[in-house]
């Protein structure tokens, strides 16, 4: 159990925290308190203006519903990504994708608000959940994961969710834009990590192959 926990510390920690928050929401908090937590953790324009870091972290572990589905999909994406890149680089991949998805989608909303295309209510919309993390993990797991079964499972999870995740994209709805950005970020960041990994491996091999001067 020890080596498994160390190897998969990131997904186990993420899933454990998300499940714990789910249990608190479902079993401890009354409805008014649940709504207050969602409002506090939402990565909307109002919260990002006063507490961007805390809001982005909290929003990944709070969801409005379907927590069981999100938990399963998280496992399908996060374990293969961690197996492929390691804990630290997997954190970088999903965290960067979550941040980019949030900032770009909310940035577009702000531009549209200032242009008079949206009402002021966009500033306080509920926007929580780990879906940006899952989008990035599923795409990276399919593109770069080890093993055909794991990659196909990630693809199946992505295909099952993508109609919901991208619903409203043509209308530039915040969630749909964020999901698309997170998917693209997961693919691009995963590719960059893979390129850096191959370069680190290639340099020692090249040095070992070069003849020693004076030999």
């Amino acid at each position: 159990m020890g080596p498994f926990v160390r190897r998969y510390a990131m997904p186990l920690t993420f899933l454990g925290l998300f499940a714990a928050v789910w249990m608190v929401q479902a079993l401890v908090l009354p409805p008014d308190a649940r709504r207050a937590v969602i409002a506090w953790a939402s990565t909307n324009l109002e919260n990002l203006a006063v507490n961007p870091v805390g809001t982005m972290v909290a929003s990944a572990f709070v969801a409005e519903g379907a927590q069981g589905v999100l938990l399963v999909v998280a496992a399908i994406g996060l374990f293969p990504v961690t197996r492929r890149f390691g804990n630290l680089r997997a954190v970088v991949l999903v965290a960067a994708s979550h941040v980019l998805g949030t900032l770009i989608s909310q940035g577009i909303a702000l531009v549209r608000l200032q242009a008079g295309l949206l009402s002021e209510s966009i500033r306080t919309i509920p926007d929580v959940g780990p879906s940006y993390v899952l989008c990035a993990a599923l795409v990276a797991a399919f593109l770069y994961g080890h093993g055909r079964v794991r990659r196909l499972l990630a693809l199946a999870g992505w295909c099952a969710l993508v109609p919901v995740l991208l619903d409203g994209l043509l209308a530039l709805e915040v969630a749909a834009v964020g999901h698309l950005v997170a998917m693209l970020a997961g693919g691009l960041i995963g590719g960059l990590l893979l390129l850096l990994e191959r370069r680190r491996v290639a340099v020692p091999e090249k040095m070992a192959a070069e003849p020693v001067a004076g030999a």
Side-chain angles (χ1 to χ4, degrees):
M1 183 62 72
F4 179 83
V5 172
R6 288 192 295 272
R7 183 172 188 177
Y8 295 107
M10 188 278 270
L12 290 172
T13 300
F14 184 90
L15 295 173
L17 289 173
F18 183 73
V21 173
W22 176 21
M23 291 299 100
V24 171
Q25 285 181 272
L27 303 177
V28 178
L29 299 179
D32 288 345
R34 287 198 293 270
R35 287 190 288 270
V37 169
I38 291 170
W40 168 77
S42 290
T43 50
N44 52 40
L45 293 173
E46 183 175 274
N47 288 341
L48 289 173
V50 296
N51 184 23
V53 176
T55 298
M56 286 194 197
V57 173
S59 67
F61 299 98
V62 176
E64 293 185 86
Q67 285 94 333
V69 174
L70 293 171
L71 202 63
V72 171
V73 177
I76 292 173
L78 291 176
F79 279 99
V81 167
T82 303
R83 179 183 177 88
R84 180 64 186 83
F85 294 113
N87 286 292
L88 181 58
R89 287 181 291 171
V91 170
V92 170
L93 187 150
V94 298
S97 299
H98 178 64
V99 170
L100 287 171
T102 298
L103 294 181
I104 292 176
S105 62
Q106 291 293 342
I108 291 174
L110 179 60
V111 171
R112 296 181 70 206
L113 172 64
Q114 293 176 339
L117 300 176
L118 297 174
S119 68
E120 285 291 325
S121 62
I122 195 68
R123 294 186 180 275
T124 57
I125 59 169
D127 187 14
V128 293
S131 55
Y132 296 170
V133 170
L134 304 186
C135 286
L138 288 173
V139 170
F142 167 66
L143 292 177
Y144 311 113
H146 288 309
R148 180 177 297 179
V149 173
R150 296 185 186 90
R151 295 177 68 181
L152 290 177
L153 192 59
L155 177 61
W158 181 83
C159 288
L161 293 178
V162 73
V164 176
L165 296 174
L166 298 185
D167 183 37
L169 182 61
L170 295 180
L172 295 181
E173 292 184 7
V174 170
V177 172
H179 291 143
L180 178 61
V181 171
M183 291 174 193
L184 295 174
L188 292 173
I189 295 170
L192 178 60
L193 292 174
L194 187 61
L195 178 62
L196 294 174
E197 178 184 288
R198 288 175 176 172
R199 286 186 175 181
R200 283 197 299 269
V201 173
V203 170
E205 290 180 347
K206 182 179 179 181
M207 293 177 63
E210 290 178 351
V212 180

